[in-house]
Amino acid sequence: MINAAAIGKMKKGVRLVNCARGELVNEADLVEALKQRHVAQRRSIVFNQEPLKNSPLQTMEKSS
């Protein structure tokens, strides 16, 4: 699972692509990493809950 601890081990400016399973990424931790600019960009074609609703990534959708 990609969470705050895993993201912390990645190089700053990493680009994260998730096309496997929505549950692999902790969405709240990813949003925080995006806000702190540790993760430069993310792309997802899967989400924890589909269709996408009530996700912290919705607020980041256009900016990331």
Side-chain angles (χ1 to χ4, degrees):
M1 181 166 182
I2 307 292
N3 57 18
I7 292 169
K9 294 176 184 176
M10 297 175 190
K11 290 183 178 182
K12 188 172 181 175
V14 67
R15 286 167 170 74
L16 182 64
V17 177
N18 180 16
C19 56
R21 295 181 57 112
E23 300 86 22
L24 292 177
V25 177
N26 181 306
E27 292 177 353
D29 291 351
L30 178 56
V31 166
E32 188 60 33
L34 285 161
K35 287 179 181 177
Q36 294 177 6
R37 301 202 185 271
H38 190 89
V39 174
Q41 190 176 39
R42 65 113 192 132
R43 291 291 177 251
S44 298
I45 60 170
V46 292
F47 300 95
N48 289 354
Q49 183 180 17
E50 295 186 14
L52 183 64
K53 60 182 179 181
N54 300 325
S55 168
L57 288 173
Q58 284 178 298
T59 59
M60 304 295 293
E61 194 62 30
K62 293 189 186 331
S63 62
S64 57

